[in-house]
Structures are given as C-alpha cells and as structure tokens.
Amino acid sequence: ASGRIKVVALCDVDDNVLANGIEDVKSDTGDEAKGYKDYREMLAEAKPEIVIIATPDHWHALQTIACCKAGAHVLVEKPTGHTVNESRAMVKAAKEAGVVVQVGLHRRIGPHHVAAMDFLKSGKVGKVGHVRLFAHSKGGPESPKPNSKTPEGMDWDMWCGPAPVRPFNSKMHPGGWRNFLDYANGTMGDWGVHWLDQVLWWSGEKGPKRVFCTGGRPIFGAAVLNDKEQTTDAPDHQLATFEFEQFTATWEHRKFAANNNEKHSIGAYFYGEKGVLHIGWRDGWTFYPVDPKGQIIHSNYQLPKPCGHNNALACTDIIEAIEKGYKPVADIESAHRSSCLPMLGMLSWKAGRSIQWDAEKELIIGDPEASKLLSREYRGPWQYPI
C-alpha cells in the first residue's frame, strides 16, 4: 500500500493458502508474486530484500536466521522464538549480518500506547511498585476433535519442521497452533508478550531477577493426544510473577469466566503512588487517581481500521529504518528481551518451580535441570541454532 515495495514472492506449505495469497497480492497491488513451498528455495531464487515471517512460533528462529544470512531484512511476528536460546541466536544472526530485524510488537508504535507511556514516564502516576498484566476471556470444557487426513497440497511434515510431528488436526491449522505447546507457548506467549513488553518499554530493564509461574487446565480438562483425536495442551489459566529490583510484574490469563466483574478484561495496570494507569487495547488508556476528588483522565484508543492493530505503522517503520539506517521501534534486541519474559514464565511452569534469572548474562542461576529448558531438541535433519 505504501507504493515503495514490490512483492516478488510468497511461501507457504499449504497450496491453498499460497494460491489465495498470490491472488490477493495481485488484486491489491498488481504484483505477480512467484509461489514457493520451501523458504530456502525462495531465498535462493527470488533474493528478496525484505521478508515478512508469519509462520508459527516454532519456525521463527530458523527462518529469521536464514533470511539474515541471505542478506534480507526481516519483519518477524512475535514472539521472537519458541525457546530462549533460539531467540538469542536470532539476535546474534541479525548483528552479524547487519540487517534490520523488526518484531511484531506493534503496540510500541500505536498512538494511544505511546501517549499512555508518555503519561506514565512523566511521573504523573508516581513511583510504580506493581504492574499487573492480563487477558481474560470465556470458555468451557474442551472436547477432543478427531484427527483428519492432511489436506491435499499441504506438506505437513514441513509445517511441523523442527518440532514434533502430531497427527494432522484442524484444531492446529490454520490458527489454532498457538495453544499447542509443541509449536507455541499458549496465551502467555501469544497475548502475554504484547503486555509484558510494556513493562520493559516503560522500565528500560533487561529482565527480572526471579520468575515463578503456576496454572493448569482445571476447566478445559486433561490434554488428549492419540491416533484418533486430540485437544490443545496449553493451560486454560496461568499466573506468573516477575520480580524486578524496584517493582513486581504479574501476568494472568484465564480462558473461562470472562472478566465482567472488572472494568477491563485485557491490558496492563501500572499501580503507582498517585494512582493507577490502565493501558488497554480497544479501550484506550485511563488514569484513576488515588485522590477520590481527583480527575479520572481517559484517552480513547487510536487503531487503524479495519484490522484494529498498528500494522501499517509498523510496516512503515521498518521501511524507514532500512532506508535511513536507524533501529525500528521493536528491533530484535529489545523484542528478544520482551519475548524472553513469557518464555521464562512457561519454563518455570514446566519446571514446576521458580527460577533465578541473570538478565545480563541471560542464564538461569543454580538450576542445571531448568537450564536445559532454555533450548529443546530439534527433529532431524533440522539443527538447533547457536
């Protein structure tokens, strides 16, 4: 839409998705993009200058690193990776290649988020001691769905890539993979990374000193995986605590009961000496002063239609960053640190205990077993990045 970019190629392991994408691009821009099923062939033949990576999380690292090595700039969806050390390898590859890598944490450039952050940093909230981040919705017990034949024209083995291969199930593709822990990190990895990013954006911290997370599936029920049927396996609720030097941040999500008892169901509360600032999604931002006689200050959300996100601003930002040589607002280094927060929360949940984190060295302190969860085994022939 900017008129500054020519779409030369699209890549997808699903022929139907690929064909629809090629048609959409031609309809929207007039560009005739060539289709590929293997991103390595696309990089070698089409030689793109910028690549948008919107694959499931378990593919982000290998594809970003391959793009960097091919000299392409990258806009990769959030979170950076599926495990912490994948994300670290992405930072390393971007630095070595000297390319721009932007991550889809588009709230960093959203007008009402920027305005709320300016208000917070102005001191009008006072010293903040606690940040509460949350995303609540409604739901109930989950019934298993029968596995099915892989759709014609889809390379399911390539879709799974370095992750374990499950029987194909339409709960996973398209879209539902976020709640399968082989491929993503559930709600905390999906929604949580946006709101946890607000904490580091505000504080300038590199990370917490301790993390603890608990949760489970008491409403959704036990996860099911067999040859006939399966359910998701991500928690239906989680509570995570991130201890920083000067404040505590907590994440909570609940996929049942909704949140009709509170004014807001999504966002971040910053609790300060002078009041509470809520930064939301479609409800803008609001400051609630401690003084009952004080004025509540509210600013409506500013989201472009029809998507309700800040994608146009983010795309413009990466183009400008490439042309003018500056870091985009959600560059790989800052986005990596933000992405580590939900990954560390999931790591603590899997380990069943709190972890001590050295944010400077990006290492778990005094727990060799938990440290193993910073990486994971890849399915051959794929090699875990260093």
Side-chain angles (χ1 to χ4, degrees):
S2 70
R4 299 157 76 180
I5 300 296
K6 179 179 175 61
V7 182
V8 295
L10 294 176
C11 180
D12 202 287
V13 296
D14 186 327
D15 284 346
N16 290 325
V17 174
L18 183 59
N20 289 337
I22 291 171
E23 185 178 325
D24 287 344
V25 165
K26 186 172 183 179
S27 174
D28 290 345
T29 70
D31 294 339
E32 296 191 6
K34 184 172 181 180
Y36 295 86
K37 292 189 79 167
D38 190 317
Y39 69 95
R40 296 167 296 185
E41 293 178 10
M42 182 198 70
L43 290 173
E45 186 176 307
K47 301 186 186 305
E49 292 178 300
I50 306 174
V51 177
I52 299 173
I53 298 174
T55 49
D57 298 356
H58 70 285
W59 264 118
H60 287 183
L62 290 183
Q63 292 172 336
T64 297
I65 291 167
C67 290
C68 290
K69 290 182 176 179
H73 305 288
V74 179
L75 194 169
V76 58
E77 263 303 344
K78 54 75 193 169
T80 48
H82 184 265
T83 48
V84 170
N85 284 338
E86 282 180 333
S87 187
R88 295 180 68 188
M90 293 165 73
V91 175
K92 179 173 180 285
K95 284 182 177 178
E96 290 178 348
V99 294
V100 173
V101 177
Q102 183 195 56
V103 181
L105 293 170
H106 56 78
R107 282 168 175 78
R108 283 206 173 207
I109 203 169
H112 80 258
H113 288 88
V114 172
M117 198 58 61
D118 289 343
F119 184 88
L120 180 63
K121 292 181 178 182
S122 73
K124 294 176 182 176
V125 181
K127 183 179 180 181
V128 174
H130 175 210
V131 187
R132 177 185 167 216
L133 312 126
F134 55 98
H136 299 306
S137 58
K138 61 183 179 179
E142 182 184 5
S143 300
K145 189 169 188 178
N147 299 325
S148 55
K149 185 180 178 182
T150 302
E152 186 175 347
M154 182 178 190
D155 187 340
W156 181 243
D157 186 79
M158 186 66 168
W159 188 97
C160 295
V165 176
R166 284 172 168 252
F168 179 84
N169 193 293
S170 58
K171 269 185 173 285
M172 282 181 278
H173 175 76
W177 50 267
R178 290 175 176 86
N179 290 301
F180 289 82
L181 299 183
D182 285 333
Y183 313 115
N185 279 305
T187 301
M188 185 158 55
D190 179 32
W191 263 110
V193 67
H194 278 302
W195 301 106
L196 287 160
D197 178 53
Q198 307 278 298
V199 175
L200 299 193
W201 182 18
W202 155 68
S203 67
E205 298 277 356
K206 289 188 174 181
K209 61 181 182 179
R210 185 165 66 165
V211 179
F212 175 68
C213 181
T214 187
R217 292 174 59 95
I219 303 300
F220 278 24
V224 174
L225 172 60
N226 57 49
D227 291 340
K228 295 182 179 180
E229 59 186 11
Q230 56 187 305
T231 64
T232 64
D233 58 359
D236 63 23
H237 78 285
Q238 281 181 297
L239 299 167
T241 301
F242 302 85
E243 292 185 8
F244 290 82
E245 288 293 340
Q246 300 296 324
F247 63 92
T248 302
T250 56
W251 163 260
E252 60 187 73
H253 77 260
R254 184 176 59 251
K255 302 186 77 173
F256 54 89
N259 207 50
N260 296 327
N261 55 307
E262 289 187 336
K263 188 172 181 64
H264 306 287
S265 61
I266 296 170
Y269 281 121
F270 290 81
Y271 297 94
E273 296 170 298
K274 299 178 183 179
V276 180
L277 175 69
H278 172 261
I279 306 177
W281 178 26
R282 295 185 185 274
D283 44 2
W285 64 269
T286 309
F287 175 65
Y288 303 93
V290 169
D291 183 352
K293 296 180 181 180
Q295 181 184 3
I296 294 175
I297 302 172
H298 176 73
S299 178
N300 290 327
Y301 73 85
Q302 300 173 53
L303 296 167
K305 295 178 180 181
C307 71
H309 297 286
N310 304 292
N311 294 331
L313 295 172
C315 288
T316 299
D317 186 48
I318 189 173
I319 295 169
E320 295 284 339
I322 292 166
E323 291 183 347
K324 298 179 181 179
Y326 65 76
K327 284 186 177 182
V329 292
D331 70 285
I332 183 64
E333 292 185 65
S334 62
H336 155 68
R337 291 192 289 271
S338 296
S339 296
C340 281
L341 295 180
M343 288 191 274
L344 290 172
M346 290 302 295
L347 189 155
S348 169
W349 177 74
K350 291 174 182 178
R353 56 185 178 273
S354 64
I355 59 166
Q356 306 288 331
W357 179 244
D358 184 329
E360 194 67 43
K361 297 179 181 178
E362 298 187 328
L363 297 171
I364 292 174
I365 301 169
D367 193 337
E369 286 301 310
S371 295
K372 293 177 182 178
L373 298 176
L374 293 170
S375 304
R376 72 163 172 173
E377 291 292 326
Y378 267 11
R379 186 171 67 99
W382 307 102
Q383 299 284 322
Y384 193 91
I386 297 172

